[in-house]
């Protein structure tokens, strides 16, 4: 009889246990209400159970939890989302979004959240939105899981992955599954395959994911993990090298723009023009003025502002260069020290004139939409403004090359460069060749200012940052030689970017200057020296 009573009691308890759902199997609202009195550790466990439920109705509650807008109502112990309603708080049902009444703030207790819980919330939200019909939402969810892997999300990730049809989202979900597998208790074989998948992501992101699990992973997988990290670090070193080369080419294109006009002026006329940097600066201010006019009168043309600014800057600075040559420099030929001092004085006058007109502070020059943002190229990041400046620099270079080689003016310019007396005796009006050459060099400097306005501060001191580097490029490449200017600018740009990380920007420039001085001792005429009858004599 006693045994029969025991058996009946056992089955009664068993049926009661089966009839009473556990917390993990209960309605999501019960899980959310349990957050009201849970500790941080208990809340983290509850978030895992909420994510495992797969019920997307809890997303607003989790978002409110992360923002600190989830409260416990003291009267009935319900957890609600709150919004301010004057002196009271308006309660909102966390699942349905319906109003749940109003009450004074004292009737609620805020549910505290810390950074650990926020990471768990992000992970839970990522898992819950993996099944969204919106591709961008699924992609963002997969990215969230990838950044905050969790074993609780693994089943949901695999479910979403089996249903996914979009190739881009599916690839990101596979990566998210891999990092979740590494955080789970799956088999060694699955984890080994997951290591390969994470390694295929590449970059510092993959190294960070593998380093995170290195302390808790099975000892049998440690060699695979270390080998994957070593391979990634080797690839990363090569991409860092490529990134430095890209930065160097980018800097070299800027130097090319700033120096190419000086190469023409210095090569043809032998003038040390210390006001060349101010021509660059005036070109940048021309861009500012053009953009101000477009902003105020023709805002729809803003994306065309640089195309309009290029000819404007060329004409303005070219005209200033023509006035300077005709008014000052032509009286100082053959007197290099006086020319240097005169052009330095002109540079100070131009700087002060700009300060008087526009003020001493930086001016805002905007980027057109096609010059904004960046894009990945392998393991490096390429910004659109730098890319366009490189292409612009090369186009200016080849346009000048065509002008020098194919036009009558270029022929006269080269004749004056190689033998001024012979050119004069052949009927070439060398003074006007000098004047228009100086104007051309100044105009190109103005065009350089248009490009530099997109990557540097537009201020009265803009040109001073490039004048010394421009002279170094011209002297290193060979005075008056455009190909030498191109090679010199790109070489010095890359050299600077490789020296800066190890010795700093200032010391790097000093070392570059020392290296150029030593190089000039061996090749006084630079990399590509011009030859002519006057030189050979």
């Amino acid at each position: 009889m006693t045994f029969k009573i025991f058996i009946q009691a056992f089955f009664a308890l068993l049926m009661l246990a089966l009839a009473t759902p556990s917390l993990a199997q209960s309605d999501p609202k019960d899980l959310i209400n349990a957050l009201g009195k849970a500790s941080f550790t208990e809340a983290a466990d509850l978030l895992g159970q909420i994510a495992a439920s797969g019920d997307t109705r809890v997303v607003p509650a989790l978002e409110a939890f992360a923002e600190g807008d989830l409260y416990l109502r003291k009267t009935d112990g319900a957890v609600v989302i709150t919004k301010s309603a004057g002196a009271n708080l308006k309660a909102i049902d966390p699942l349905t979004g319906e109003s749940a009444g109003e009450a004074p703030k004292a009737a609620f207790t805020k549910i505290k959240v810390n950074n650990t819980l926020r990471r768990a919330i992000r992970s839970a939200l990522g898992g819950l939105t993996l099944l969204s019909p919106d591709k961008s939402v699924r992609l963002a969810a997969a990215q969230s899981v990838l950044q905050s892997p969790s074993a609780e999300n693994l089943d949901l990730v695999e479910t979403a992955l089996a249903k996914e049809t979009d190739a881009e989202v599916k690839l990101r979900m596979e990566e998210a599954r891999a990092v979740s597998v590494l955080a789970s208790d799956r088999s060694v074989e699955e984890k080994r395959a997951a290591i390969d998948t994470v390694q295929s992501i590449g970059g510092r992101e993959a190294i960070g994911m593998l380093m995170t699990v290195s302390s808790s992973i099975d000892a049998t997988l440690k060699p695979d993990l270390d080998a994957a990290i070593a391979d990634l670090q080797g690839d990363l070193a090569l991409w860092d090298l490529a990134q430095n080369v890209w930065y160097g080419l980018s800097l070299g294109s800027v130097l090319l723009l700033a120096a190419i006009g000086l190469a023409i002026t210095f090569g043809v006329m032998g003038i040390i023009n210390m006001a060349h940097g101010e021509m660059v600066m005036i070109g940048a201010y021309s861009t500012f003025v053009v953009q101000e006019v477009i902003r105020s009168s023709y805002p729809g043309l803003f994306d065309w502002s640089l195309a309009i600014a290029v000819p404007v800057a060329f004409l303005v600075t070219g005209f200033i260069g023509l006035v300077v040559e005709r008014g000052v420099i032509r009286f100082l030929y053959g007197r290099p020290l006086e020319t240097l001092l005169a052009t330095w004085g002109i540079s100070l006058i131009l700087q002060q004139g700009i300060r008087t007109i526009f003020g001493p502070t930086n001016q805002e020059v905007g980027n057109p939409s096609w010059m904004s943002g960046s894009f990945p190229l392998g393991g490096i990041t390429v910004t659109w403004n730098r890319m366009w400046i490189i292409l612009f620099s090369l186009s200016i270079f080849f346009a000048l090359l065509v002008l020098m080689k194919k036009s009558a003016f270029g022929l006269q310019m080269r004749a004056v460069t190689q033998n001024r007396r012979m050119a004069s005796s052949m009927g070439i009006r060398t003074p006007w060749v000098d004047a228009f050459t100086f104007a051309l060099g100044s105009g190109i400097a103005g065009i350089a200012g248009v490009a530099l306005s997109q990557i540097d501060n537009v201020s009265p001191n803009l040109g001073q940052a490039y004048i010394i580097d421009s002279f170094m490029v011209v002297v290193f490449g060979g005075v008056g030689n455009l190909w030498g200017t191109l090679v010199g600018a790109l070489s010095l740009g890359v050299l600077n970017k490789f020296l800066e990380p190890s010795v700093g920007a200032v010391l790097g420039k000093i070392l570059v200057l020392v290296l150029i001085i030593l190089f000039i001792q061996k090749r006084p005429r630079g990399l590509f020296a011009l030859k002519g009858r006057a030189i050979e004599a």
Side-chain angles (χ1 to χ4, degrees), residues 77-212:
V79 171
V80 294
I81 301 171
T82 63
K83 288 187 178 180
S84 178
N88 296 336
L89 287 180
K90 180 180 179 181
I92 300 172
D93 187 281
L95 289 182
T96 64
E98 298 176 354
S99 176
E102 291 185 16
K105 293 181 180 179
F108 299 93
T109 301
K110 184 175 182 177
I111 302 176
K112 295 181 179 179
V113 61
N114 59 12
N115 289 335
T116 302
L117 284 180
R118 287 190 180 93
R119 285 194 291 271
I121 292 169
R122 285 198 302 270
S123 177
L125 285 171
L128 287 167
T129 51
L130 285 169
L131 298 173
S132 169
D134 189 334
K135 173 187 171 181
S136 61
V137 173
R138 298 198 309 276
L139 192 60
Q143 183 65 34
S144 177
V145 174
L146 186 62
Q147 294 174 347
S148 304
S150 170
E152 288 83 1
N153 284 334
L154 183 53
D155 290 338
L156 192 56
V157 171
E158 290 179 333
T159 301
L161 184 59
K163 297 179 179 180
E164 187 58 56
T165 57
D166 185 88
E168 181 184 6
V169 179
K170 190 167 187 176
L171 175 61
R172 187 57 67 180
M173 282 187 179
E174 287 173 349
E175 295 169 350
R177 178 191 175 278
V179 295
S180 298
V181 165
L182 292 177
S184 71
D185 56 357
R186 293 290 180 91
S187 67
V188 172
E189 289 73 19
E190 281 189 273
K191 289 188 175 183
R192 185 173 285 116
I195 290 174
D196 294 337
T197 303
V198 174
Q199 184 180 354
S200 68
I201 298 173
R204 291 182 174 83
E205 182 183 15
I207 293 176
M209 293 173 188
L210 295 177
M211 294 288 286
T212 301

Side-chain angles (χ1 to χ4, degrees), residues 121 168 206 330 513 536:
I121 292 169
E168 181 184 6
R330 72 188 180 100
L513 179 59
E536 292 167 355

